[in-house]
Amino acid sequence: MKRMFKTLAPLTLSVAIMAACGGEESGGETSGNEASGNSNNNADSGEQGDVVETGEAEQGVEASGDESVTLDMWIHQTGEDETDFYIKRIDEFNEANDDIYVNAEIIIDDGASSYSDSVNAALVAGNLPDILALDGPYVASFAEADIIASVEEYITDEDREDFVDSIIQQGTYNGELYSLGAMEASVPLYYNKDIFEEEGIEAPTSIEEAWTWDEFLEVAQQLTTENRYGLNLFMNYGVGEWLTFMGAPFVWSNNGELISEDGTTVDGYLNSPETVESLEFVKTLFEEEVVSLTPGEMQFEEGNAAMALGGPWIAVSAEDADFEWGMMPYPYKEVPKSPSGSMAYGITTLSEHPEEAYEVMAWMTNEESTIGLSEVTGMPPARHSAFEAMDHYDELPWSVIRDQVTETAHARPQTPAYPVLTDAFAQAFHAAALGEDVEEILNQQVDRVERELRRFQD
C-alpha cells in the first residue's frame, strides 16, 4: 500500500537564507550567491529537477556483500567547492563502510524552484530518497507533512550536547528532533576600521560590550556623511528571507517573539508591543537616513557604508577591499540575540533503513565534517568541538561569530506555517523601512498568518 502523505506547504525560500547555508559562488563563500540568488521554492510543480550523481554512484557501484544496504541521498546544488566537499565526504563514508553504500545525487538548483519541485515530485511518486538536505527553518513543514522522521531514538546524549544549542533548536518540532546541520550561520556587525579610527570610535569586541540600540543609532548617525551611509542592511537582497534572518533578532533582543511558544498563534506576538517597538527602531534607521533602501551590491566593500549587518560571506567579499575591517556583535535592546540557521539533513519516512540512514547523517555532521565544511565555506561550524579545534575562532574578528553562535544564536521559529510567517515579517520589515505604519501592517499580517495556522490545527 502506498504511504499517504499530508500536503507539503509551499516553501518560499527567498533571497538570503541560502547565503546562510554555505558554499562558494560569486561574491562570497555562500551557497546563496551573496544572498541574491536564493531559491524561491514554490512547491507547486510536479517535474523533478535535474540530478548529478556523485562519486562512485556514477558508475553504479553497489556496496559489497549481498546483505549490504544501499541508501539514496539528495543534496541541493551549491557552490563548487562546497559541493565537492559533500561528494568527498560521501565517498569517504562509502570507503569506510562495507555494509552501507550511499548513492548521493546533487539536485540541480536553478535559483528558482527546482529543488523543491524534485522533493514534491518524489513525494507524489512515493520515491523519496533515504536522506534529504533541507533548509533549517523549514524542518517543521517537512515534519508536519510526514516527509521526514524523528531521529530522537538515534542521537546520543553526548552527541546532542556537542551541537550548539541553535542547531538542536532549529531541528526540533513538537519536542522531537528531526534534523541536524553541519554548519551554522550568523550576522555580525562589520565595520570599516579606517573610518572608525578617523572618527575616534572604538568598536566593541565581545558580547558583553555589544552596543545597545541607542548607541548603535548614535554611531550610525555620526558615521553618515554626504558621501557615505553609516550602515548597510543589504536591502538590495529583496523582500524575502534575508529580512527575517537578519531582522528578527531586533525583536528577540527586545524580549519579543514572532509566534507563541506552542506554535498556535501569532496574535499578541507578531504584533506585540515588543515587535512594534523593534520595527519602529528599524523605521528610525531609515528616517534618519543612516541606511539606504537601494544600496549598491558592494556598498560596504567599496567604502560607501561604514558598517554592515551581514553574514560570514561578507568577510570573503571584503578580502579585496581597500581598507581594514573588523566584526562586532549584533546590537541589542534588552538581551543580546543573533541570527542563526542553515542547511540540515533529515531522514525521510519512506526509508526502509532509518538506522543506517542516521549513520550517514551522523557522519555528515560529525566533528571532521563540520570542521572541513567550515574551512571550505567560511561558515561557522555546528559543533562546540569544532570551534575548539579551529584556532582562528579564538581570535578577532572570528571570535565574534563564535561567541554569537555559542551564546546568543536564536533559531527562527519551527512551525509548518513558517513560509507564510517569514514572508509576513519580511513584508512588515520592508514596510518599516518605507516609513509605513508598523502596527497597522503587523495587524494585517497577523490575520494572514492566523489563517495559515488554522490549516494545521485539526
Side-chain angles (χ1 to χ4, degrees):
M1 180 180 295
K2 182 176 288 189
R3 186 185 182 98
M4 299 302 293
F5 293 87
K6 300 177 185 177
T7 302
L8 176 61
L11 305 185
T12 308
L13 307 185
S14 59
V15 182
I17 194 51
M18 287 298 186
C21 304
E24 177 181 331
E25 295 195 39
S26 58
E29 293 185 358
T30 72
S31 67
N33 300 331
E34 75 285 344
S36 64
N38 187 44
S39 50
N40 183 15
N41 289 350
N42 298 312
D44 56 5
S45 171
E47 295 184 5
Q48 180 165 328
D50 296 330
V51 299
V52 176
E53 295 184 341
T54 68
E56 295 176 349
E58 290 182 323
Q59 305 169 24
V61 178
E62 293 289 335
S64 60
D66 294 337
E67 297 181 1
S68 63
V69 171
T70 298
L71 302 175
D72 292 325
M73 182 177 186
W74 281 7
I75 299 173
H76 81 292
Q77 180 199 37
T78 181
E80 183 178 353
D81 288 351
E82 184 180 345
T83 300
D84 288 346
F85 176 80
Y86 293 139
I87 295 171
K88 172 177 173 287
R89 288 300 287 160
I90 292 166
D91 285 346
E92 288 171 349
F93 178 90
N94 287 336
E95 291 171 5
N97 290 270
D98 292 330
D99 55 346
I100 304 174
Y101 178 81
V102 181
N103 175 34
E105 295 179 347
I106 306 299
I107 308 299
I108 301 299
D109 187 344
D110 62 1
S113 60
S114 59
Y115 189 74
S116 64
D117 287 350
S118 298
V119 172
N120 279 275
L123 176 63
V124 172
N127 59 359
L128 286 167
D130 297 274
I131 308 145
L132 190 69
L134 68 156
D135 203 5
Y138 298 87
V139 167
S141 295
F142 279 75
E144 178 68 23
D146 204 25
I147 294 175
I148 56 174
S150 169
V151 296
E152 280 288 343
E153 63 181 295
Y154 305 118
I155 189 169
T156 65
D157 291 341
E158 181 181 7
D159 214 25
R160 184 193 294 267
E161 289 171 5
D162 193 36
F163 283 99
V164 296
D165 290 345
S166 52
I167 286 292
I168 301 300
Q169 185 184 4
Q170 170 185 267
T172 301
Y173 176 58
N174 283 345
E176 294 278 323
L177 183 66
Y178 284 87
S179 76
L180 291 171
M183 69 170 83
E184 246 298 1
S186 196
V187 173
L189 181 59
Y190 291 85
Y191 68 99
N192 185 314
K193 287 187 174 182
D194 297 346
I195 295 175
F196 269 50
E197 186 175 348
E198 291 172 5
E199 296 290 336
I201 299 171
E202 186 173 347
T205 59
S206 67
I207 302 297
E208 292 73 25
E209 299 171 345
W211 283 335
T212 64
W213 287 358
D214 289 342
E215 292 170 324
F216 178 46
L217 175 60
E218 183 179 346
V219 171
Q221 290 171 321
Q222 180 181 342
L223 293 173
T224 299
T225 68
E226 226 176 84
N227 303 312
R228 180 185 70 218
Y229 285 95
L231 174 68
N232 182 2
L233 294 181
F234 299 96
M235 299 299 288
N236 54 300
Y237 290 171
V239 184
E241 189 65 28
W242 168 249
L243 297 186
T244 303
F245 180 65
M246 174 273 295
F250 283 110
V251 177
W252 298 327
S253 82
N254 196 28
N255 288 324
E257 292 291 345
L258 305 187
I259 191 171
S260 63
E261 186 175 355
D262 63 7
T264 61
T265 183
V266 294
D267 195 10
Y269 297 89
L270 185 60
N271 58 347
S272 70
E274 292 81 7
T275 304
V276 171
E277 183 181 21
S278 303
L279 293 188
E280 286 289 351
F281 176 73
V282 170
K283 185 177 180 178
T284 298
L285 293 174
F286 287 88
E287 288 177 340
E288 293 296 312
E289 298 182 344
V290 302
V291 59
S292 172
L293 264 170
T294 56
E297 187 67 32
M298 304 289 283
Q299 187 190 54
F300 175 72
E301 293 87 341
E302 292 172 350
N304 297 320
M307 299 184 292
L309 272 177
W313 51 91
I314 300 303
V316 179
S317 60
E319 281 183 354
D320 297 326
D322 192 24
F323 60 83
E324 294 293 318
W325 54 269
M327 300 179 195
M328 47 185 160
Y330 198 106
Y332 73 100
K333 177 65 187 298
E334 300 293 338
V335 57
K337 295 290 182 181
S338 58
S340 75
S342 195
M343 294 298 290
Y345 299 105
I347 298 171
T348 69
T349 53
L350 281 186
S351 176
E352 296 179 357
H353 305 284
E355 188 172 353
E356 290 84 354
Y358 184 79
E359 288 188 43
V360 180
M361 187 169 159
W363 172 277
M364 296 300 289
T365 60
N366 66 17
E367 182 181 341
E368 184 178 354
S369 290
T370 57
I371 290 173
L373 191 57
S374 180
E375 291 173 342
V376 166
T377 64
M379 303 296 285
R383 287 180 175 266
H384 293 288
S385 58
F387 277 118
E388 292 168 3
M390 302 180 74
D391 293 341
H392 77 281
Y393 280 108
D394 292 331
E395 302 175 355
L396 290 170
W398 294 98
S399 59
V400 170
I401 284 186
R402 178 203 62 194
D403 292 347
Q404 289 198 157
V405 169
T406 59
E407 297 178 31
T408 67
H410 191 297
R412 284 156 286 175
Q414 279 299 352
T415 168
Y418 185 78
V420 176
L421 175 58
T422 183
D423 184 65
F425 182 81
Q427 295 290 344
F429 190 102
H430 189 247
L434 294 174
E436 297 179 16
D437 187 318
V438 168
E439 188 169 7
E440 180 181 348
I441 296 297
L442 285 170
N443 285 330
Q444 292 172 0
Q445 295 297 337
V446 161
D447 291 340
R448 175 185 169 210
V449 181
E450 288 291 307
R451 288 194 299 271
E452 180 68 8
L453 283 169
R454 285 194 288 272
R455 293 183 55 218
F456 307 102
Q457 297 170 6
D458 296 332

PDB file of all heavy atoms in Angstrom, residues 1 18 20 43 52 56 70 88 159 183 191 221 226 229 234 237 268 276 288 292 300 326 334 351 452:
ATOM      1  N   MET A   1       0.861  -1.203   0.000  1.00  0.00           N
ATOM      2  CA  MET A   1       0.000   0.000   0.000  1.00  0.00           C
ATOM      3  C   MET A   1       0.891   1.245   0.000  1.00  0.00           C
ATOM      4  O   MET A   1       1.830   1.342   0.773  1.00  0.00           O
ATOM      5  CB  MET A   1      -0.899   0.028   1.248  1.00  0.00           C
ATOM      6  CG  MET A   1      -1.814   1.248   1.312  1.00  0.00           C
ATOM      7  SD  MET A   1      -2.849   1.246   2.810  1.00  0.00           S
ATOM      8  CE  MET A   1      -3.842  -0.216   2.497  1.00  0.00           C
ATOM      9  N   MET A  18      19.745  31.121   1.657  1.00  0.00           N
ATOM     10  CA  MET A  18      20.736  30.201   1.143  1.00  0.00           C
ATOM     11  C   MET A  18      22.129  30.757   1.376  1.00  0.00           C
ATOM     12  O   MET A  18      23.086  30.028   1.468  1.00  0.00           O
ATOM     13  CB  MET A  18      20.527  29.936  -0.349  1.00  0.00           C
ATOM     14  CG  MET A  18      19.320  29.054  -0.619  1.00  0.00           C
ATOM     15  SD  MET A  18      19.489  27.440   0.119  1.00  0.00           S
ATOM     16  CE  MET A  18      18.035  26.666  -0.541  1.00  0.00           C
ATOM     17  N   ALA A  20      23.001  31.897   3.980  1.00  0.00           N
ATOM     18  CA  ALA A  20      23.332  31.445   5.322  1.00  0.00           C
ATOM     19  C   ALA A  20      23.542  29.954   5.343  1.00  0.00           C
ATOM     20  O   ALA A  20      23.478  29.334   6.381  1.00  0.00           O
ATOM     21  CB  ALA A  20      22.213  31.828   6.268  1.00  0.00           C
ATOM     22  N   ALA A  43       6.373  25.167  -4.132  1.00  0.00           N
ATOM     23  CA  ALA A  43       6.247  23.733  -4.385  1.00  0.00           C
ATOM     24  C   ALA A  43       4.927  23.403  -5.054  1.00  0.00           C
ATOM     25  O   ALA A  43       4.077  22.747  -4.505  1.00  0.00           O
ATOM     26  CB  ALA A  43       6.394  22.973  -3.086  1.00  0.00           C
ATOM     27  N   VAL A  52      22.693  15.292 -10.557  1.00  0.00           N
ATOM     28  CA  VAL A  52      24.049  14.918 -10.888  1.00  0.00           C
ATOM     29  C   VAL A  52      24.482  13.887  -9.868  1.00  0.00           C
ATOM     30  O   VAL A  52      24.515  14.163  -8.669  1.00  0.00           O
ATOM     31  CB  VAL A  52      25.003  16.131 -10.834  1.00  0.00           C
ATOM     32  CG1 VAL A  52      26.424  15.681 -11.099  1.00  0.00           C
ATOM     33  CG2 VAL A  52      24.580  17.181 -11.848  1.00  0.00           C
ATOM     34  N   GLU A  56      31.380   7.428  -6.774  1.00  0.00           N
ATOM     35  CA  GLU A  56      31.252   6.100  -7.354  1.00  0.00           C
ATOM     36  C   GLU A  56      29.841   5.817  -7.843  1.00  0.00           C
ATOM     37  O   GLU A  56      29.622   4.912  -8.626  1.00  0.00           O
ATOM     38  CB  GLU A  56      31.663   5.040  -6.323  1.00  0.00           C
ATOM     39  CG  GLU A  56      33.138   5.127  -5.948  1.00  0.00           C
ATOM     40  CD  GLU A  56      33.508   4.134  -4.871  1.00  0.00           C
ATOM     41  OE1 GLU A  56      32.593   3.539  -4.283  1.00  0.00           O
ATOM     42  OE2 GLU A  56      34.702   3.934  -4.629  1.00  0.00           O
ATOM     43  N   THR A  70      21.982  -0.199   0.499  1.00  0.00           N
ATOM     44  CA  THR A  70      22.241   0.959  -0.361  1.00  0.00           C
ATOM     45  C   THR A  70      21.221   2.041  -0.027  1.00  0.00           C
ATOM     46  O   THR A  70      20.008   1.788  -0.025  1.00  0.00           O
ATOM     47  CB  THR A  70      22.130   0.590  -1.843  1.00  0.00           C
ATOM     48  OG1 THR A  70      23.125  -0.391  -2.157  1.00  0.00           O
ATOM     49  CG2 THR A  70      22.344   1.818  -2.720  1.00  0.00           C
ATOM     50  N   LYS A  88      33.170  14.413  -1.579  1.00  0.00           N
ATOM     51  CA  LYS A  88      34.345  13.814  -0.950  1.00  0.00           C
ATOM     52  C   LYS A  88      33.967  13.089   0.337  1.00  0.00           C
ATOM     53  O   LYS A  88      34.404  11.957   0.592  1.00  0.00           O
ATOM     54  CB  LYS A  88      35.373  14.908  -0.667  1.00  0.00           C
ATOM     55  CG  LYS A  88      36.585  14.477   0.152  1.00  0.00           C
ATOM     56  CD  LYS A  88      37.557  15.640   0.283  1.00  0.00           C
ATOM     57  CE  LYS A  88      38.708  15.314   1.243  1.00  0.00           C
ATOM     58  NZ  LYS A  88      38.263  15.296   2.665  1.00  0.00           N
ATOM     59  N   ASP A 159      26.472  13.297  21.861  1.00  0.00           N
ATOM     60  CA  ASP A 159      26.445  13.945  20.554  1.00  0.00           C
ATOM     61  C   ASP A 159      25.549  15.188  20.584  1.00  0.00           C
ATOM     62  O   ASP A 159      25.908  16.240  20.051  1.00  0.00           O
ATOM     63  CB  ASP A 159      25.938  12.957  19.506  1.00  0.00           C
ATOM     64  CG  ASP A 159      26.599  13.165  18.154  1.00  0.00           C
ATOM     65  OD1 ASP A 159      27.717  13.696  18.115  1.00  0.00           O
ATOM     66  OD2 ASP A 159      25.990  12.789  17.145  1.00  0.00           O
ATOM     67  N   MET A 183      26.700  22.935   9.575  1.00  0.00           N
ATOM     68  CA  MET A 183      27.201  24.306   9.649  1.00  0.00           C
ATOM     69  C   MET A 183      26.159  25.192  10.295  1.00  0.00           C
ATOM     70  O   MET A 183      24.978  24.856  10.383  1.00  0.00           O
ATOM     71  CB  MET A 183      27.555  24.837   8.261  1.00  0.00           C
ATOM     72  CG  MET A 183      26.347  25.071   7.362  1.00  0.00           C
ATOM     73  SD  MET A 183      26.756  25.970   5.849  1.00  0.00           S
ATOM     74  CE  MET A 183      27.343  24.627   4.837  1.00  0.00           C
ATOM     75  N   TYR A 191      32.569  46.485  10.362  1.00  0.00           N
ATOM     76  CA  TYR A 191      32.868  47.918  10.403  1.00  0.00           C
ATOM     77  C   TYR A 191      34.192  48.201   9.705  1.00  0.00           C
ATOM     78  O   TYR A 191      35.088  47.360   9.647  1.00  0.00           O
ATOM     79  CB  TYR A 191      32.898  48.439  11.841  1.00  0.00           C
ATOM     80  CG  TYR A 191      34.042  47.928  12.695  1.00  0.00           C
ATOM     81  CD1 TYR A 191      35.189  48.697  12.897  1.00  0.00           C
ATOM     82  CD2 TYR A 191      33.969  46.681  13.312  1.00  0.00           C
ATOM     83  CE1 TYR A 191      36.231  48.237  13.695  1.00  0.00           C
ATOM     84  CE2 TYR A 191      34.998  46.213  14.110  1.00  0.00           C
ATOM     85  CZ  TYR A 191      36.133  46.993  14.295  1.00  0.00           C
ATOM     86  OH  TYR A 191      37.162  46.533  15.079  1.00  0.00           O
ATOM     87  N   GLN A 221      24.582  57.529  13.028  1.00  0.00           N
ATOM     88  CA  GLN A 221      24.357  58.941  12.672  1.00  0.00           C
ATOM     89  C   GLN A 221      25.681  59.676  12.528  1.00  0.00           C
ATOM     90  O   GLN A 221      25.867  60.465  11.593  1.00  0.00           O
ATOM     91  CB  GLN A 221      23.488  59.612  13.737  1.00  0.00           C
ATOM     92  CG  GLN A 221      22.040  59.142  13.740  1.00  0.00           C
ATOM     93  CD  GLN A 221      21.264  59.657  14.942  1.00  0.00           C
ATOM     94  OE1 GLN A 221      21.779  59.731  16.050  1.00  0.00           O
ATOM     95  NE2 GLN A 221      20.003  60.012  14.721  1.00  0.00           N
ATOM     96  N   GLU A 226      27.628  63.141   3.681  1.00  0.00           N
ATOM     97  CA  GLU A 226      27.038  63.411   2.367  1.00  0.00           C
ATOM     98  C   GLU A 226      27.372  62.310   1.366  1.00  0.00           C
ATOM     99  O   GLU A 226      26.590  62.004   0.465  1.00  0.00           O
ATOM    100  CB  GLU A 226      27.581  64.748   1.835  1.00  0.00           C
ATOM    101  CG  GLU A 226      26.496  65.649   1.255  1.00  0.00           C
ATOM    102  CD  GLU A 226      27.076  66.994   0.833  1.00  0.00           C
ATOM    103  OE1 GLU A 226      27.599  67.058  -0.307  1.00  0.00           O
ATOM    104  OE2 GLU A 226      27.018  67.929   1.638  1.00  0.00           O
ATOM    105  N   TYR A 229      26.990  56.274   3.842  1.00  0.00           N
ATOM    106  CA  TYR A 229      25.991  55.850   4.824  1.00  0.00           C
ATOM    107  C   TYR A 229      26.696  55.276   6.047  1.00  0.00           C
ATOM    108  O   TYR A 229      27.793  54.714   5.943  1.00  0.00           O
ATOM    109  CB  TYR A 229      25.064  54.792   4.222  1.00  0.00           C
ATOM    110  CG  TYR A 229      24.053  55.355   3.257  1.00  0.00           C
ATOM    111  CD1 TYR A 229      24.300  55.376   1.885  1.00  0.00           C
ATOM    112  CD2 TYR A 229      22.843  55.881   3.720  1.00  0.00           C
ATOM    113  CE1 TYR A 229      23.374  55.894   0.997  1.00  0.00           C
ATOM    114  CE2 TYR A 229      21.903  56.401   2.835  1.00  0.00           C
ATOM    115  CZ  TYR A 229      22.179  56.411   1.472  1.00  0.00           C
ATOM    116  OH  TYR A 229      21.251  56.931   0.599  1.00  0.00           O
ATOM    117  N   PHE A 234      21.827  45.645   3.504  1.00  0.00           N
ATOM    118  CA  PHE A 234      21.698  44.804   2.306  1.00  0.00           C
ATOM    119  C   PHE A 234      20.238  44.670   1.862  1.00  0.00           C
ATOM    120  O   PHE A 234      19.757  43.577   1.561  1.00  0.00           O
ATOM    121  CB  PHE A 234      22.339  43.428   2.532  1.00  0.00           C
ATOM    122  CG  PHE A 234      23.813  43.511   2.821  1.00  0.00           C
ATOM    123  CD1 PHE A 234      24.284  43.509   4.134  1.00  0.00           C
ATOM    124  CD2 PHE A 234      24.728  43.647   1.794  1.00  0.00           C
ATOM    125  CE1 PHE A 234      25.640  43.624   4.407  1.00  0.00           C
ATOM    126  CE2 PHE A 234      26.093  43.761   2.050  1.00  0.00           C
ATOM    127  CZ  PHE A 234      26.541  43.749   3.373  1.00  0.00           C
ATOM    128  N   TYR A 237      19.028  42.764  -1.292  1.00  0.00           N
ATOM    129  CA  TYR A 237      18.715  41.343  -1.356  1.00  0.00           C
ATOM    130  C   TYR A 237      17.225  41.094  -1.605  1.00  0.00           C
ATOM    131  O   TYR A 237      16.825  39.983  -1.942  1.00  0.00           O
ATOM    132  CB  TYR A 237      19.107  40.649  -0.058  1.00  0.00           C
ATOM    133  CG  TYR A 237      20.597  40.513   0.194  1.00  0.00           C
ATOM    134  CD1 TYR A 237      21.068  40.060   1.422  1.00  0.00           C
ATOM    135  CD2 TYR A 237      21.538  40.826  -0.779  1.00  0.00           C
ATOM    136  CE1 TYR A 237      22.423  39.929   1.670  1.00  0.00           C
ATOM    137  CE2 TYR A 237      22.894  40.701  -0.538  1.00  0.00           C
ATOM    138  CZ  TYR A 237      23.340  40.249   0.691  1.00  0.00           C
ATOM    139  OH  TYR A 237      24.677  40.112   0.945  1.00  0.00           O
ATOM    140  N   GLY A 268      -0.663  38.761  19.239  1.00  0.00           N
ATOM    141  CA  GLY A 268      -0.056  39.093  20.519  1.00  0.00           C
ATOM    142  C   GLY A 268       1.440  38.844  20.537  1.00  0.00           C
ATOM    143  O   GLY A 268       2.110  39.113  21.544  1.00  0.00           O
ATOM    144  N   VAL A 276       6.425  45.727  17.615  1.00  0.00           N
ATOM    145  CA  VAL A 276       6.160  47.067  17.083  1.00  0.00           C
ATOM    146  C   VAL A 276       7.330  47.989  17.396  1.00  0.00           C
ATOM    147  O   VAL A 276       7.827  48.705  16.517  1.00  0.00           O
ATOM    148  CB  VAL A 276       4.851  47.639  17.670  1.00  0.00           C
ATOM    149  CG1 VAL A 276       4.699  49.113  17.279  1.00  0.00           C
ATOM    150  CG2 VAL A 276       3.656  46.835  17.187  1.00  0.00           C
ATOM    151  N   GLU A 288      16.259  58.446   9.680  1.00  0.00           N
ATOM    152  CA  GLU A 288      17.464  59.234   9.953  1.00  0.00           C
ATOM    153  C   GLU A 288      18.459  59.169   8.800  1.00  0.00           C
ATOM    154  O   GLU A 288      19.534  59.784   8.858  1.00  0.00           O
ATOM    155  CB  GLU A 288      18.129  58.741  11.239  1.00  0.00           C
ATOM    156  CG  GLU A 288      17.321  59.006  12.502  1.00  0.00           C
ATOM    157  CD  GLU A 288      17.158  60.487  12.776  1.00  0.00           C
ATOM    158  OE1 GLU A 288      18.180  61.217  12.720  1.00  0.00           O
ATOM    159  OE2 GLU A 288      16.017  60.931  13.024  1.00  0.00           O
ATOM    160  N   SER A 292      20.504  52.914   3.449  1.00  0.00           N
ATOM    161  CA  SER A 292      19.846  53.096   2.155  1.00  0.00           C
ATOM    162  C   SER A 292      18.892  51.953   1.844  1.00  0.00           C
ATOM    163  O   SER A 292      19.172  50.784   2.148  1.00  0.00           O
ATOM    164  CB  SER A 292      20.904  53.181   1.052  1.00  0.00           C
ATOM    165  OG  SER A 292      20.303  53.169  -0.229  1.00  0.00           O
ATOM    166  N   PHE A 300      29.420  48.314   1.187  1.00  0.00           N
ATOM    167  CA  PHE A 300      30.358  48.276   2.299  1.00  0.00           C
ATOM    168  C   PHE A 300      31.782  48.070   1.798  1.00  0.00           C
ATOM    169  O   PHE A 300      32.711  48.774   2.215  1.00  0.00           O
ATOM    170  CB  PHE A 300      29.977  47.160   3.280  1.00  0.00           C
ATOM    171  CG  PHE A 300      30.973  46.986   4.398  1.00  0.00           C
ATOM    172  CD1 PHE A 300      31.076  47.927   5.406  1.00  0.00           C
ATOM    173  CD2 PHE A 300      31.812  45.870   4.433  1.00  0.00           C
ATOM    174  CE1 PHE A 300      32.004  47.769   6.450  1.00  0.00           C
ATOM    175  CE2 PHE A 300      32.735  45.706   5.462  1.00  0.00           C
ATOM    176  CZ  PHE A 300      32.833  46.663   6.470  1.00  0.00           C
ATOM    177  N   GLY A 326      36.642  44.959  10.513  1.00  0.00           N
ATOM    178  CA  GLY A 326      36.502  44.106  11.681  1.00  0.00           C
ATOM    179  C   GLY A 326      35.057  43.700  11.866  1.00  0.00           C
ATOM    180  O   GLY A 326      34.177  44.092  11.089  1.00  0.00           O
ATOM    181  N   GLU A 334      17.330  44.621  25.008  1.00  0.00           N
ATOM    182  CA  GLU A 334      17.257  44.123  26.379  1.00  0.00           C
ATOM    183  C   GLU A 334      18.230  42.975  26.646  1.00  0.00           C
ATOM    184  O   GLU A 334      18.809  42.876  27.711  1.00  0.00           O
ATOM    185  CB  GLU A 334      15.825  43.659  26.700  1.00  0.00           C
ATOM    186  CG  GLU A 334      14.772  44.751  26.583  1.00  0.00           C
ATOM    187  CD  GLU A 334      14.929  45.834  27.628  1.00  0.00           C
ATOM    188  OE1 GLU A 334      15.552  45.559  28.679  1.00  0.00           O
ATOM    189  OE2 GLU A 334      14.436  46.961  27.406  1.00  0.00           O
ATOM    190  N   SER A 351      12.184   5.788   4.099  1.00  0.00           N
ATOM    191  CA  SER A 351      13.390   4.973   4.207  1.00  0.00           C
ATOM    192  C   SER A 351      13.094   3.665   4.935  1.00  0.00           C
ATOM    193  O   SER A 351      12.491   3.656   6.016  1.00  0.00           O
ATOM    194  CB  SER A 351      14.489   5.731   4.961  1.00  0.00           C
ATOM    195  OG  SER A 351      15.625   4.902   5.130  1.00  0.00           O
ATOM    196  N   GLU A 452      -3.310  30.794   7.980  1.00  0.00           N
ATOM    197  CA  GLU A 452      -2.425  29.689   7.622  1.00  0.00           C
ATOM    198  C   GLU A 452      -2.284  28.710   8.790  1.00  0.00           C
ATOM    199  O   GLU A 452      -2.297  27.483   8.591  1.00  0.00           O
ATOM    200  CB  GLU A 452      -1.049  30.227   7.213  1.00  0.00           C
ATOM    201  CG  GLU A 452      -0.034  29.174   6.807  1.00  0.00           C
ATOM    202  CD  GLU A 452      -0.369  28.466   5.504  1.00  0.00           C
ATOM    203  OE1 GLU A 452      -1.318  28.891   4.811  1.00  0.00           O
ATOM    204  OE2 GLU A 452       0.319  27.479   5.172  1.00  0.00           O
TER     205      GLU A 452
END
